[in-house]
Amino acid sequence: MTDSDPDTIIRIAAKGDGVTADGRHFPLTAPGDRIAADGSVVFGVHHVEPPCVHFPACGGCQIQQLDDESYADFVTGRVAGALAGQGLTPGAVLPPHISPPMTRRRASLRAARSGKRVTIGFAEEGSHKLIDLDMCSVLDPTLFALIAPLRGLLATILPDKRAAHVRMSLVDQGVDLLLEGVSVQGLAADEALGDFARGHGLARLTIDEGDGAQTRWEPEAVTVSFGGVPVGFPPFAFLQATPDGEAALVGAVRDAMPESGAIADLFAGLGTFALALGEGRPVYAGEGARDAISALKLAGARAQRRMVADHRDLFRRPLTPEELNRFAAVVLDPPRAGAKEQVLQLAASTVPVIAYVSCNPASFARDAVHLAAAGYRLDSVTPVGQFRWTTHVELVGIFRR
């Protein structure tokens, strides 16, 4: 049996299905598996026992049947395949960074109450049915430890037959917890919130009953730190999924930066790159979310950074070539849809180095076409698998003139 055998799984497609040599798709397979004549799967050497009892029903993971080698190949293949689909070949595809199990520091779960029973978890794949988590192979244990006690709290503040969102983040002070869709009625419910926050040492507890977020517990101002600078953290603001994943992205960008000169950080968020890269050099940080850029501006001022924090919608009002040409390098980290409007302006600029951080290989590749057509060369791409065992892949692409 070889990879040319039409019944052998030779790769994993973008949505997680195994693909045979003759192009058929089979879910929950791994490279080297063979499809028998009766349609059953004969496992190969890359097919492993999933580490979580909830797989594959839980929608939190899609490809736990892959061994580490195959998962790393999948992450790399997603990036290389997206670029090849646009006719692009990078100078180098660097080794992928894969986050370890149980390191996810940010999660959005759903909760539902039926009578006295409260279910908390991820939805089944392609369904609204919740999987009640009694283990999780991706969440940081500190976050997972709150799930069981949260069932008790939500039994008092979540109306029957109703659902809520449970949003958790690990911050400098511990766990930041946001509960959306709850109803806090009466003294007992109010006291239950305080007791829960104190008893579990929360950094902050925020609730949203449908009319906006209200902080109910915050002993000290909640922050996250980038480059050693603490930044005020709005409830469930954007944060890279794992600390090591963030470090891998920052490291790949830092390695591409020139030794001197001002840099621009576009779609800067709370300053993941602006603060990590900006010690001792001027930085322009542009961001459309007012609460994020306000927190970054205050943090930069306190740390006496040479930074301009600009509240700017980069989709409607991207930086122009004249503005961009002042910078020795530009970093951009846009949402999943990419940054076509800003990329077209970059393509017309003379910026020597562009570090594009992407959470969507497909939109990255579409944007990269515009830069390549304008004379930029794609020196390297670094694939990053922060969302272990999922089909979500990130990357850093370095462009140079």
Side-chain angles (χ1 to χ4, degrees), residues 109-292:
L109 306 174
R110 285 185 61 80
R113 180 182 171 193
S114 180
K116 294 181 179 181
R117 177 178 172 79
V118 174
T119 300
I120 302 177
F122 297 103
E124 262 188 28
E125 191 75 18
S127 166
H128 293 296
K129 181 181 177 183
L130 291 185
I131 300 298
D132 199 21
L133 295 181
D134 53 30
M135 70 171 293
C136 184
S137 299
V138 295
L139 284 184
D140 185 290
T142 303
L143 296 182
F144 181 77
L146 280 178
I147 292 179
L150 269 170
R151 292 189 183 99
L153 174 66
L154 290 173
T156 67
I157 63 172
L158 180 59
D160 195 16
K161 308 298 183 185
R162 294 284 296 278
H165 287 285
V166 176
R167 308 194 193 277
M168 300 186 288
S169 309
L170 275 177
V171 296
D172 292 340
Q173 294 77 19
V175 178
D176 184 33
L177 177 63
L178 169 62
L179 302 175
E180 297 176 342
V182 296
S183 178
V184 182
Q185 302 292 330
L187 181 60
D190 197 60
E191 289 179 341
L193 284 177
D195 291 343
F196 184 89
R198 279 188 297 272
H200 295 283
L202 297 186
R204 178 171 58 196
L205 174 59
T206 306
I207 65 165
D208 188 342
E209 299 179 80
D211 53 0
Q214 301 174 13
T215 297
R216 294 299 189 97
W217 172 265
E218 189 176 11
E220 60 180 292
V222 168
T223 60
V224 292
S225 293
F226 307 110
V229 178
V231 185
F233 186 71
F236 204 63
F238 177 77
L239 192 60
Q240 294 292 343
T242 64
D244 67 279
E246 178 186 291
L249 295 171
V250 169
V253 173
R254 180 183 283 116
D255 288 346
M257 292 295 102
E259 290 186 7
S260 61
I263 62 174
D265 180 12
L266 309 182
F267 307 95
L270 291 170
T272 305
F273 298 98
L275 292 172
L277 305 173
E279 188 171 5
R281 71 193 309 166
V283 175
Y284 166 88
E287 169 59 48
R290 187 180 297 276
D291 57 352

